[in-house]
């Protein structure tokens, strides 16, 4: 069986990497960018790091700052309208996963037509490359700056769905750890746990390969060794830099091996309750892993080792339990070990969310297939 591996052709990484972006863009004969971001990043002046670099290389731009957490179909439609009005010829996302996912939707639909929902009924459905996309990342979590995934919310029916398309891969990704130094503590924690979830789910995925395995295990090591430090001290440059490499490696893993039930279920919590995606992943990760470990226990032994657990002398079952305990312990240390009920989740919505989770594309590669009652029970265990 052959495999395909997707990632950006160019990624600029490390402190002040954004200062190399202008020269890269100038060589590509691009003229005007639609910058896709949120109003907070504009207000705090962070977007000026990008616009100053564009100005220095005589590149024009217009800013769409309407992106919201759990980005919606309307965000994409509004961005498309400004793209057409401004006659921009490429798109730059600036921010975290919400900005990147919105920009991907804009760039893909601009080139291929239709509605973003049209591209969610399978994988790699677009016929043409999207409008040139550049992604500038400001969080160490989603890895959306380099993946073939975008997660979009349909507010009309309270669903959140993934779009998986090879044309989402940007022409340039930028991971500048200096842009992450000012990230708020809780956002640092939730995005970090999101990255850990990517690595764990990719490692146990039915589509895993030696390349994704290597990326996932190294990502787990980097995240576990640095997340608590950067939550405790956001100015820790060394830990910030390590986290951006960890989240990128996790992205390399899941963009090619896909994910599982943690993400399928978290998507529904985001669609119905508009909850933080990373927080939902953190809450669900150990419980879904408990379910999956019955199918692939040896994989969770490897995860325990990557998390720094000394498994020598342990039985396989003990090592698996140690991995689950390590996941929950890290979540508690960084403040994301919470209960769904405390976040407003009610039991009357569990069956609805469970059914939608089973229909989510991420469920296809979960190592152990579940029925509706089993998904509901996983939700209940974290209520």
């Amino acid at each position: 069986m052959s495999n395909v591996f997707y990632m950006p052709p160019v990624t600029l990484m490390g402190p002040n990497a954004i200062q190399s972006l202008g020269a890269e863009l100038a060589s590509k004969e691009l003229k005007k960018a639609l910058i896709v971001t949120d109003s907070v990043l504009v207000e705090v002046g962070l977007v000026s790091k990008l616009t100053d670099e564009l100005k220095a290389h005589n590149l024009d731009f217009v800013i769409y700052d309407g992106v919201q957490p759990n980005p919606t179909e309307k965000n994409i439609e509004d961005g498309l309208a400004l793209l057409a009005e401004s006659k921009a010829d490429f798109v730059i996302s600036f921010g975290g996963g919400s900005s990147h996912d919105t920009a991907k939707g804009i760039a893909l639909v601009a080139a291929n037509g239709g509605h973003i929902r049209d591209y969610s009924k399978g994988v790699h459905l677009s016929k043409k490359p999207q409008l040139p996309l550049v992604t500038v990342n400001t969080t160490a979590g989603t890895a959306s700056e380099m993946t073939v995934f975008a997660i979009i919310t349909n507010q009309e029916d309270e669903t959140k769905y993934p779009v998986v398309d090879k044309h989402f891969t940007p022409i340039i990704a930028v991971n500048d750890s200096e842009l992450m130094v000012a990230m708020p503590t809780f956002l640092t924690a939730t995005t970090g746990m999101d990255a850990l979830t990517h690595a764990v789910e990719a490692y146990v995925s039915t589509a895993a390969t030696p390349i994704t395995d290597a990326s996932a295990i190294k990502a787990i090591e980097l995240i576990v060794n640095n997340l608590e430090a950067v939550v405790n001290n956001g100015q820790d440059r060394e830990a910030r830099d390590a986290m951006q490499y960890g989240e990128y490696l996790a992205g390399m893993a899941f963009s090619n091996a896909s994910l599982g039930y943690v993400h399928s279920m978290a998507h529904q919590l985001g669609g119905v309750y508009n909850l933080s995606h990373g927080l939902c992943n953190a809450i669900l990760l150990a419980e879904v892993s408990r379910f999956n470990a019955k199918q692939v226990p040896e994989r969770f032994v490897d995860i325990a080792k990557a998390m720094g657990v000394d498994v020598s002398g342990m039985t396989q079952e003990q090592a698996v339990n140690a991995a689950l305990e390590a996941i929950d312990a890290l979540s508690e240390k960084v403040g994301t070990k919470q209960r769904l009920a405390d976040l407003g989740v009610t039991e009357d919505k569990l069956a609805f969310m469970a059914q939608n989770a089973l229909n989510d594309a991420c469920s296809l590669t979960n190592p152990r297939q579940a029925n509706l009652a089993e998904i509901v029970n996983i939700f209940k265990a974290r209520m």
Side-chain angles (χ1 to χ4, degrees):
M1 177 181 174
S2 63
N3 292 289
V4 180
F5 194 87
Y6 298 107
M7 63 183 297
V10 176
T11 302
L12 308 175
M13 302 191 77
N16 301 310
I18 196 170
Q19 295 175 10
S20 300
L21 178 60
E24 287 282 345
L25 292 174
S27 67
K28 297 184 180 300
E29 299 183 355
L30 299 169
K31 294 180 174 59
K32 187 173 185 179
L34 172 72
I35 297 174
V36 178
T37 188
D38 64 61
S39 57
V40 173
L41 292 176
V42 174
E43 289 168 8
V44 300
L46 205 58
V47 176
S48 66
K49 301 282 188 180
L50 170 61
T51 55
D52 287 348
E53 180 69 7
L54 296 180
K55 290 174 185 175
H57 289 81
N58 300 312
L59 289 162
D60 197 5
F61 59 87
V62 62
I63 297 175
Y64 169 65
D65 65 357
V67 174
Q68 62 194 77
N70 296 313
T72 66
E73 294 172 338
K74 187 175 186 304
N75 290 154
I76 292 172
E77 291 160 8
D78 290 347
L80 281 164
L82 182 56
L83 178 78
E85 177 189 329
S86 66
K87 295 182 171 55
D89 61 341
F90 72 111
V91 180
I92 303 178
S93 58
F94 187 96
S98 297
S99 294
H100 304 319
D101 288 357
T102 303
K104 287 174 176 178
I106 293 168
L108 194 78
V109 174
N112 287 273
H115 190 280
I116 188 59
R117 209 179 305 155
D118 300 336
Y119 303 95
S120 68
K121 308 303 182 185
V123 298
H124 308 311
L125 295 182
S126 67
K127 302 298 183 185
K128 297 186 291 186
Q130 65 185 357
L131 214 60
L133 173 67
V134 175
T135 55
V136 182
N137 197 33
T138 64
T139 68
T142 69
S144 186
E145 79 278 3
M146 56 80 63
T147 69
V148 297
F149 282 75
I151 312 300
I152 308 300
T153 298
N154 178 346
Q155 290 181 304
E156 293 178 4
D157 64 5
E158 295 185 320
T159 58
K160 190 174 179 182
Y161 56 86
V163 182
V164 185
D165 200 292
K166 63 186 178 184
H167 288 138
F168 275 155
T169 308
I171 59 170
I172 303 171
V174 180
N175 266 326
D176 183 342
S177 52
E178 280 298 309
L179 297 177
M180 304 172 188
V181 169
M183 199 177 4
T185 299
F186 191 63
L187 183 61
T188 297
T190 57
T191 53
M193 290 301 294
D194 187 19
L196 178 64
T197 305
H198 293 153
V200 170
E201 289 212 287
Y203 191 69
V204 303
S205 165
T206 58
T209 69
I211 295 176
T212 63
D213 284 351
S215 301
I217 288 296
K218 186 61 180 179
I220 292 170
E221 292 175 359
L222 285 167
I223 293 163
V224 169
N225 290 332
N226 292 280
L227 179 56
E228 187 181 359
V230 82
V231 166
N232 291 337
N233 176 14
Q235 297 295 314
D236 187 332
R237 258 68 176 184
E238 186 175 347
R240 284 284 188 202
D241 206 43
M243 281 299 300
Q244 58 106 12
Y245 277 103
E247 75 96 36
Y248 193 91
L249 283 164
M252 288 170 59
F254 91 82
S255 188
N256 294 283
S258 195
L259 295 161
Y261 286 151
V262 181
H263 272 76
S264 298
M265 296 170 70
H267 292 160
Q268 312 321 313
L269 291 165
V272 175
Y273 295 101
N274 198 33
L275 296 174
S276 157
H277 175 67
L279 177 60
C280 294
N281 281 339
I283 292 170
L284 293 168
L285 179 56
E287 201 61 40
V288 173
S289 295
R290 191 180 315 281
F291 177 84
N292 287 335
K294 296 186 186 324
Q295 185 70 28
V296 287
E298 70 286 350
R299 292 250 139 184
F300 284 95
V301 174
D302 293 341
I303 289 168
K305 294 175 184 175
M307 295 190 75
V309 177
D310 181 1
V311 301
S312 58
M314 289 186 183
T315 65
Q316 185 180 72
E317 182 180 3
Q318 289 171 331
V320 167
N321 287 334
L324 305 182
E325 290 167 4
I327 290 169
D328 265 345
L330 178 61
S331 185
E332 185 165 19
K333 287 175 182 176
V334 301
T336 58
K337 190 180 178 184
Q338 301 183 27
R339 308 301 299 185
L340 293 175
D342 293 336
L343 300 174
V345 178
T346 55
E347 291 205 6
D348 62 299
K349 288 283 191 179
L350 296 186
F352 170 75
M353 293 192 296
Q355 185 58 63
N356 285 334
L358 289 172
N359 294 334
D360 190 296
C362 293
S363 292
L364 296 174
T365 47
N366 198 75
R368 181 185 175 199
Q369 289 300 296
N371 58 36
L372 183 69
E374 287 170 325
I375 297 295
V376 168
N377 285 337
I378 293 171
F379 275 128
K380 284 183 176 180
R382 291 291 161 154
M383 287 291 285

